[in-house]
């Protein structure tokens, strides 16, 4: 008995000490509220806490205290709840709906709402990158302190603020990493950076279920994590939002202000960068100096791209703040300056969290004034602009247009149907297919973000993309209007609901335009159910229900005879698919066309069902692989086998007719493996390569194509001349100068061959593509093989050096097909599936997948 007691005491002392590292000076604490350590049975920092445990603890706080309530705002792909713990005085929490209403008045342009009595709304957001785990642990401590502490400062925070804690923005990624770090944790701990604990396997925990970086998705709004968050966001418009990260282990700590050399979103009020950031920085300096932590500001990181967790709030009248902590990536790791512990990283994040709350509370008036002025200036800036609104639309593809409208609505941009046709930029935009977005609205800055393009930049080295005009991602025709269009009915979410598609039963054939974004999904549904579907490689015109109708390249032809299933089964299959994907189906009664080919023509090809696999793991870009997987899973409902590189030897080649290789080093593949791939393609199969994989295929002679390469060093005489001209540059400028040369993500225009199967479904030769690489493919020597080439004046949006533009980009091809025996390789220089949001170029990839087997490369 005695022994038991003394062990218990020992444990209690140890716990107190462990917690003291984080909690000293923060108390006294309400003894009825459990600390994280008491709740979990281990000190914070000694173990990685799973997301379900985090939720259990926050739920406990909400249960035992009237100062906290927990709400769920969404759910991840892997069914993990996304939650927010609201902390404030019980009075505030009871009246939260009323406070919310008053708070939101500050976002109504020109309203003279009295906000002097209102609490400030603070959103502490943690762990968007799953393997940057210190912040979620800090969230536990922040929550505990803010709920349980009776310290005068903390009491003041609760009465002057509503603090909304989002403990884990990316729980699927966090738990991947959590499992990893815990399962390799040694006892004693191993600090050796080479230990497995510090080296996650592919794809790592940074990203979400589909291996996407959620810290780019705030603008793109593709994933449930961000969509849930954006819907929450626009209900609250917090005054301050934090975004906690980790960076390389051999570093210190970063907080804003960001890079001084002004890589700044050009539409942001300067005040955000100057007054607000500088003011908050004073608090971080004081708090971090106080605990002896080193840090830096201004040198790197920019908030130019508007889809970060630290930049999106800046575009919504709030202040978004980025923090970057040197990572212990595991429980403890050696660095040149000593060991960095998990607990140390957590303490810095906790310190910044509390400093943020303090700064927000002490600058409440400034933040509310700023928020009011921000939305007021949205209107006055729009009035000063010479653009009254934008018109956009597509005459052929309703579902792609709807996908773009979904994004506008997600950002609370107001848009309207057209009352009458509008002529602009040589095109007629018609009611029914086109829409109008006025600039004079509270979300004017988001309107600019969606439609404006830029050519000049104050800086040339970007942390990420330098182009984000979403209208180009969706390949929608659009035009700025000097004089606004006549507004029709306002467009709402109701308008995005699936339409009821009537399909008339046919005894001859069903025809489906290939134009619609969802047509490939419909095709897969039919093929997967065993239907025999053909594709028209030449256009035709047929009578449908008494009227002559034109059908373009790629039209799907499903004969009623020549099927293994009955006419009735086929009818219900077609009808269900048409309704599920909202794609129109025409019922033909004859195969004789008025113009173009007949339905029995040799240009109407029976399609092979794609049996596809993709190589993944070590050396392969998890982002690009994830983009392919996500596209097929979520938009086409089609499976793709993801085969790890380590199983290359065991691939059953007979089983597949299509192989996808995204960017990767593919170093593990030797010349025998190259031959294996080449032989498989030669026997009539299709290899699709993207970006660096295209370069790989050319360099390893899988195809006989060429790259446009940098000039090799010339011979000796020339070298002497060259030596004379060698320019010296200041050492300190090196990283800026070199960074400039990379193509960091910009939008360019290509010209498509609309008669090529890879371009089926496109109606315009001109297509915007996204480029973020230096893979320059020379146009093929075969005149029929270059499907997409850059136009003479290709720049649409984003930064590129003149040299890259003129010497490399302009002469190069964006997409070519190369014949290999009876098969072919489809080589993409640009990524058609970038971040799940390039609806405009997805079709090129899906054409390669669904039509690839039927693409010939004719030679003269
Ligand atoms: Zn990060």
């Amino acid at each position: 008995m005695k022994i038991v007691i003394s062990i218990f005491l020992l444990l209690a002392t140890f716990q107190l000490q462990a917690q003291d590292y984080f909690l000293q000076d923060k108390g006294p604490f309400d003894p009825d509220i459990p600390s994280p350590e008491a709740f979990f049975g281990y000190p914070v920092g000694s173990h990685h806490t799973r997301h379900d445990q985090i939720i259990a603890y926050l739920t406990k706080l909400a249960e035992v205290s009237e100062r906290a309530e927990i709400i769920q705002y969404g759910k991840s792909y892997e069914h993990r709840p996304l939650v927010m713990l609201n902390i404030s005085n019980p009075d505030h929490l009871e009246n939260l709906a009323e406070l919310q209403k008053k708070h939101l008045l500050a976002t109504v342009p020109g309203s003279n709402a009295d906000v002097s009595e209102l609490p400030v709304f603070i959103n502490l957001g943690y762990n968007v990158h799953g393997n940057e785990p210190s912040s979620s642990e800090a969230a536990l401590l922040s929550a505990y302190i803010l709920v349980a502490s009776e310290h005068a400062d903390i009491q003041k925070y609760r009465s002057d603020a509503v603090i909304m804690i989002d403990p884990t923005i990316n729980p699927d990624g966090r738990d991947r990493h959590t499992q990893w770090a815990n399962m390799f944790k040694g006892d004693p701990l191993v600090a050796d950076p080479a230990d497995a604990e510090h080296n996650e396997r592919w794809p790592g925990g940074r990203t979400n279920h589909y291996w996407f970086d959620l810290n780019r998705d705030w603008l793109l709004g593709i994933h449930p994590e961000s969509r849930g968050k954006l819907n929450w966001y626009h209900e609250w418009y917090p005054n301050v939002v934090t975004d906690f990260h980790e960076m390389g282990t051999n570093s210190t700590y970063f907080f804003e202000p960001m890079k001084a050399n002004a890589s700044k979103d050009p539409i942001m009020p300067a005040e955000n960068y100057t007054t607000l950031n500088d003011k908050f920085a004073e608090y971080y300096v004081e708090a971090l100096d106080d605990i002896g932590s080193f840090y830096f500001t201004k040198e790197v990181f920019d908030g130019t791209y508007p889809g970060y967790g630290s930049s999106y709030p800046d575009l919504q009248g709030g202040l978004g703040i980025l923090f970057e902590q040197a990572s212990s990536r595991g429980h403890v790791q050696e660095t040149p300056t000593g060991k960095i512990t998990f607990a140390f990283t957590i303490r810095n994040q906790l310190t910044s969290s509390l400093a943020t709350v303090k700064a927000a509370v002490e600058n409440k008036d400034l933040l509310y004034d700023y928020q009011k002025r921000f939305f007021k200036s949205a209107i006055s800036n729009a009035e000063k602009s010479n653009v009254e609104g934008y018109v956009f639309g597509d005459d052929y593809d309703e579902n792609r247009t709807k996908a773009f409208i979904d994004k506008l609505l997600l950002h609370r941009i107001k848009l309207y149907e057209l009352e009458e046709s509008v002529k602009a930029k040589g095109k007629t935009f018609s009611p029914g297919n086109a829409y109008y977005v006025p600039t004079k609205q509270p979300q004017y800055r988001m309107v600019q973000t969606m439609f404006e393009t830029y050519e000049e930049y104050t800086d040339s080295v970007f942390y990420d993309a330098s182009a984000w005009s979403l209208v180009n991602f969706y390949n929608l025709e659009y035009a700025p209007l000097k004089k606004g269009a006549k507004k029709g009915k306002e467009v709402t979410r109701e308008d995005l609901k699936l339409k009821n598609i009537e399909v008339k039963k046919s005894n001859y054939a069903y025809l489906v335009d290939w134009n619609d974004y969802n047509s490939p999904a419909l095709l897969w549904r039919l093929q997967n159910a065993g239907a025999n579907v053909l594709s028209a490689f030449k256009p035709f015109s047929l009578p449908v229900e008494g009227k002559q109708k034109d059908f373009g390249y790629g039209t799907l032809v499903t004969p009623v005879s020549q099927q293994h299933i009955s006419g009735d089964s086929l009818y219900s299959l077609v009808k269900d698919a048409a309704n599920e994907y909202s794609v129109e189906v025409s019922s033909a009664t004859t195969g004789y066309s008025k113009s173009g080919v007949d339905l029995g023509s040799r240009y109407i090809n029976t399609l092979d069902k794609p049996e596809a696999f993709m190589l993944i793991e070590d050396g392969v870009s998890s982002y690009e692989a994830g983009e392919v997987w996500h596209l097929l899973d979520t938009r086409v409902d089609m499976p793709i086998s993801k085969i790890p590189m380590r199983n290359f030897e065991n691939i059953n080649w007979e089983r597949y007719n299509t192989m996808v290789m995204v960017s990767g080093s593919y170093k593990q593949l030797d010349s025998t493996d190259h031959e294996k791939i080449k032989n498989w393609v030669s026997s009539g199969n299709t290899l699709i390569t993207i970006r660096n994989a295209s370069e790989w295929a050319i360099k390893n002679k899988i195809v006989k194509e060429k790259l446009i390469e940098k000039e090799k060093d010339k011979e000796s005489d020339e070298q002497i001349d060259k030596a004379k001209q060698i320019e010296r540059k200041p050492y300190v400028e090196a990283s800026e100068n070199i960074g400039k040369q990379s193509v960091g993500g910009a939008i360019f225009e290509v010209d498509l061959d609309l008669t090529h199967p890879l371009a089926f479904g496109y109606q315009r030769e001109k297509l915007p593509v996204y480029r973020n690489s230096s893979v320059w493919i020379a146009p093929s020597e075969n005149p029929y093989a270059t499907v997409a080439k850059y136009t003479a004046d290709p720049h649409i949006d984003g930064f590129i050096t003149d040299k890259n533009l003129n010497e490399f980009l302009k002469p190069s091809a964006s997409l070519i097909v190369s014949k290999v025996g009876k098969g072919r390789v489809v080589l993409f220089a640009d990524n058609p599936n970038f971040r799940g949001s390039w609806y405009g170029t997805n079709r090129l990839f899906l054409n390669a997948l669904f039509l690839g087997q039927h693409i010939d490369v004719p030679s003269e």
Side-chain angles (χ1 to χ4, degrees):
M1 193 65 183
K2 209 175 162 194
I3 296 169
V4 173
I5 288 169
S6 63
I7 286 176
F8 179 75
L9 278 177
L10 197 73
L11 207 66
T13 326
F14 171 68
Q15 282 183 351
L16 212 72
Q17 277 174 345
Q19 294 196 65
D20 218 30
Y21 181 63
F22 303 110
L23 303 179
Q24 59 176 334
D25 310 331
K26 309 287 192 306
F29 291 95
D30 180 340
D32 292 335
I33 300 176
S35 70
E37 184 170 352
F39 187 80
F40 297 121
Y42 56 82
V44 170
S46 68
H47 184 74
H48 285 63
T49 310
R50 291 193 318 268
H51 180 65
D52 62 303
Q53 294 175 294
I54 292 173
I55 296 211
Y57 179 65
L58 299 189
T59 305
K60 184 77 184 174
L61 289 183
E63 252 169 47
V64 299
S65 172
E66 290 186 331
R67 295 163 176 171
E69 61 169 36
I70 190 163
I71 61 123
Q72 184 176 344
Y73 69 79
K75 200 166 88 166
S76 71
Y77 285 109
E78 295 174 14
H79 306 288
R80 290 184 177 86
L82 301 160
V83 302
M84 200 71 76
L85 184 78
N86 299 335
I87 303 172
S88 195
N89 265 349
D91 280 359
H92 287 338
L93 289 185
E94 251 168 55
N95 293 315
L96 199 55
E98 199 53 39
L99 294 175
Q100 177 187 24
K101 222 186 266 172
K102 287 181 183 161
H103 167 75
L104 289 180
L105 283 176
T107 68
V108 177
S111 84
N112 258 333
D114 178 15
V115 290
S116 53
E117 299 297 312
L118 280 180
V120 64
F121 285 72
I122 305 164
N123 173 214
L124 300 179
Y126 297 96
N127 216 164
V128 65
H129 290 146
N131 61 4
E132 300 173 4
S134 56
S135 71
S136 289
E137 309 282 342
L140 298 168
L141 293 163
S142 303
Y144 174 61
I145 293 166
L146 291 166
V147 173
S149 172
E150 305 295 351
H151 191 288
D153 289 353
I154 308 290
Q155 287 190 25
K156 182 174 164 57
Y157 299 164
R158 280 193 300 263
S159 54
D160 290 357
V162 176
I163 302 139
M164 303 164 126
I165 295 187
D166 183 343
T168 322
I169 298 171
N170 172 18
D172 293 351
R174 174 172 176 93
D175 275 3
R176 265 202 317 268
H177 175 263
T178 295
Q179 173 74 359
W180 183 271
N182 288 339
M183 79 188 209
F184 281 107
K185 178 186 163 190
D187 181 15
L189 296 175
V190 180
D192 179 357
D195 186 72
E197 183 189 346
H198 313 300
N199 294 278
E200 284 177 286
R201 271 206 85 142
W202 197 99
R206 177 183 174 92
T207 49
N208 77 347
H209 173 75
Y210 284 109
W211 313 332
F212 277 64
D213 187 337
L214 289 177
N215 195 34
R216 305 295 182 273
D217 200 43
W218 283 69
L219 176 67
L220 311 174
I222 299 297
H223 299 286
E225 294 91 345
S226 338
R227 296 179 67 86
K229 192 56 172 287
L230 285 164
N231 283 324
W232 175 89
Y233 198 95
H234 289 276
E235 282 173 19
W236 293 101
Y237 291 93
N239 301 88
V240 177
V241 180
T242 61
D243 189 21
F244 288 96
H245 291 260
E246 290 182 15
M247 57 186 161
T249 301
N250 299 337
S251 195
T252 58
Y253 194 77
F254 174 88
F255 54 85
E256 299 195 30
M258 286 180 169
K259 200 174 167 198
N261 196 17
S263 292
K264 288 169 183 171
D265 187 320
I267 61 181
M268 197 77 69
E271 202 185 346
N272 183 294
Y273 295 107
T274 53
T275 319
L276 295 182
N277 271 329
D278 290 349
K279 178 57 79 189
F280 273 63
E282 290 168 18
Y283 289 81
Y284 305 130
V285 167
E286 192 191 352
L288 291 164
D289 283 349
D290 199 44
I291 57 168
S293 282
F294 271 46
Y295 49 80
F296 68 99
T297 60
K298 304 182 283 284
E299 287 169 36
V300 286
F301 303 114
D302 66 73
T304 317
Y305 171 69
Y308 300 124
S310 58
S311 59
Y312 188 82
D314 292 340
L315 279 165
Q316 298 296 338
L319 174 66
I321 310 165
L322 172 74
F323 301 93
E324 295 270 357
Q325 164 65 49
S327 185
S328 62
R329 194 68 35 95
H331 297 86
V332 62
Q333 206 178 148
E334 287 163 12
T335 80
T337 50
K339 286 179 185 168
I340 180 166
T341 65
F342 191 31
F344 173 78
T345 66
I346 295 166
R347 190 173 64 154
N348 285 338
Q349 306 282 40
L350 171 66
T351 301
S352 298
S353 300
L354 296 175
T356 299
V357 176
K358 184 179 185 200
V361 164
E362 291 184 3
N363 294 280
K364 192 173 74 136
D365 295 344
L366 176 66
L367 290 164
Y368 267 115
D369 276 354
Y370 174 75
Q371 192 172 38
K372 282 194 201 169
R373 267 181 283 119
F374 180 91
F375 285 101
K376 201 174 164 193
S377 68
I379 302 296
S380 57
N381 286 359
E383 279 167 347
K384 275 180 254 164
S385 156
N386 55 13
V387 178
E388 257 188 41
Y390 290 89
V391 63
F392 72 89
D394 189 287
D395 295 342
Y396 303 94
D397 188 345
E398 194 176 337
N399 283 313
R400 183 159 41 84
T401 311
K402 277 184 173 177
F404 179 63
I405 292 174
D406 166 72
K407 303 307 171 298
L408 299 183
L409 294 176
L410 200 55
H411 296 297
R412 302 302 186 265
I413 292 172
K414 285 185 174 294
L415 75 155
Y416 301 86
E417 289 178 355
L418 283 180
E419 185 74 26
E420 53 195 39
S421 294
V422 175
K423 277 198 178 129
K425 272 169 86 180
K427 181 190 155 64
T428 304
F429 294 89
S430 313
N433 296 327
Y435 299 87
Y436 176 62
V437 182
T439 48
K440 200 171 146 187
Q441 57 172 305
Q443 288 294 348
Y444 172 52
R445 288 185 179 86
M446 288 311 291
V447 175
Q448 292 180 287
T449 301
M450 296 287 161
F451 291 96
E452 284 185 359
T453 59
Y454 301 92
E455 287 192 52
E456 282 179 30
Y457 296 88
T458 42
D459 199 349
S460 47
V461 182
F462 296 89
Y463 188 65
D464 197 83
S466 67
W468 50 79
S469 49
L470 227 59
V471 69
N472 287 310
F473 290 30
Y474 286 74
N475 184 28
L476 291 168
E477 283 191 286
Y478 67 102
L481 303 178
K482 279 202 168 118
K483 176 109 188 46
K486 233 184 179 172
K487 283 193 245 177
K489 187 176 108 20
E490 185 174 350
V491 179
T492 66
R493 286 240 157 249
E494 280 298 301
D495 300 298
L496 299 183
K497 287 203 170 138
L498 291 180
K499 292 191 310 193
N500 186 29
I501 306 277
E502 300 270 349
V503 180
K504 244 189 122 192
K505 189 164 188 240
S506 172
N507 294 319
Y508 196 75
Y510 298 100
L511 307 176
V512 180
D513 258 338
W514 193 236
N515 300 331
D516 194 275
Y517 187 81
N518 289 346
S519 299
L522 178 139
L523 167 60
W524 172 257
R525 168 60 62 87
L526 301 187
Q527 284 186 321
N528 198 38
N532 191 16
V533 187
L534 292 69
S535 168
F537 276 41
K538 279 195 175 179
F540 59 89
S541 173
L542 270 185
V544 173
E545 288 177 40
K547 271 202 276 182
Q548 203 60 32
K549 200 176 165 202
D550 294 334
F551 293 92
Y553 288 101
T555 297
L556 300 178
V557 179
T558 309
V560 176
S561 61
Q562 303 169 41
Q563 299 287 352
H564 300 297
I565 50 177
S566 72
D568 283 344
S569 309
L570 182 69
Y571 175 56
S572 65
L573 176 65
V574 169
K575 205 169 55 172
D576 289 353
N579 276 289
E580 175 159 359
Y581 297 113
S582 198
V583 176
E584 304 278 353
V585 176
S586 303
S587 300
T589 50
T590 174
Y592 187 70
S593 63
K594 196 174 170 207
S595 63
V597 296
D598 297 321
L599 293 192
S601 160
R602 70 181 67 166
Y603 288 101
I604 312 256
N605 296 307
T606 302
L607 295 176
D608 287 354
K609 182 178 154 191
E611 298 290 348
F613 79 101
M614 170 171 60
L615 290 176
I616 63 161
E617 286 199 358
D618 305 316
V620 175
S621 161
S622 59
Y623 293 118
E624 285 182 31
E627 286 156 4
V628 170
W629 179 26
H630 174 262
L631 175 74
L632 297 182
D633 264 24
T634 66
R635 312 246 172 89
V636 191
D637 294 328
M638 173 190 155
I640 182 164
S641 301
K642 306 177 291 297
I643 301 187
M645 289 290 287
R646 64 190 135 88
N647 290 349
F648 185 85
E649 287 307 315
N650 307 324
I651 291 173
N652 175 9
W653 294 89
E654 302 279 292
R655 190 189 160 126
Y656 309 101
N657 57 23
T658 307
M659 173 181 180
V660 177
M661 292 175 79
V662 299
S663 287
S665 66
Y666 300 104
K667 279 190 298 210
Q668 303 93 323
L669 304 180
D670 61 19
S671 54
T672 324
D673 301 327
H674 298 165
E675 275 310 300
K676 214 179 257 179
I677 293 173
K678 210 170 160 176
N679 289 339
W680 174 81
V681 176
S682 297
S683 62
N685 296 302
T686 305
L687 169 63
I688 303 168
T689 58
I690 297 178
R691 276 183 7 136
N692 297 90
S694 300
E695 191 174 56
W696 172 89
I698 295 172
K699 284 187 170 163
N700 289 290
K701 310 230 176 333
I702 307 289
V703 291
K704 287 190 199 116
E705 302 293 341
K706 289 195 184 81
L707 295 165
I708 302 177
E709 290 186 276
K710 307 228 161 172
E711 235 179 288
K712 300 258 158 51
D713 280 343
K714 301 243 175 75
E715 291 309 309
S716 58
D717 274 2
E718 284 178 45
Q719 283 200 348
I720 294 167
D721 280 349
K722 217 172 147 196
K724 287 180 192 157
Q725 292 166 19
I726 286 172
E727 186 191 354
R728 287 176 66 233
K729 292 177 184 172
Y731 179 78
V732 70
E733 288 172 13
S735 71
E736 287 289 308
N737 289 337
I738 293 163
K740 220 187 279 193
Q741 302 307 323
S742 70
V743 183
I747 305 173
F748 300 97
E749 183 184 71
V750 298
D751 180 87
L752 282 177
D753 171 5
L754 294 180
T755 73
H756 196 283
L758 287 180
F760 284 1
Y762 288 92
Q763 301 295 325
R764 295 185 303 280
E765 281 99 2
K766 304 284 179 279
L767 173 72
V769 301
Y770 188 79
R771 168 163 282 266
N772 59 346
S773 81
S774 302
V775 176
W776 315 106
I777 301 179
S780 180
E781 283 177 12
N782 182 312
Y784 306 106
T786 302
V787 185
K789 195 188 171 312
Y790 290 98
T791 59
D793 182 17
H795 181 267
I796 293 177
D797 192 13
F799 177 79
I800 186 168
T801 63
D802 285 345
K803 187 180 162 81
N804 280 336
L805 178 67
N806 294 313
E807 290 180 30
F808 295 102
L809 187 90
K810 282 186 184 175
S812 71
S814 175
L815 172 60
I816 65 176
V817 189
S818 198
K819 191 181 168 97
V820 179
K822 283 188 237 155
R824 77 291 303 153
V825 181
V826 177
L827 299 111
F828 285 91
D830 299 311
N831 179 359
N833 306 319
F834 188 63
R835 288 185 181 157
S837 31
W838 273 79
Y839 276 67
T841 48
N842 282 155
R843 174 53 61 86
L844 297 172
F845 178 79
L846 293 175
N847 281 342
L849 201 72
F850 282 99
L851 308 177
Q853 283 298 90
H854 308 278
I855 295 173
D856 189 17
V857 185
S859 48
E860 285 173 337

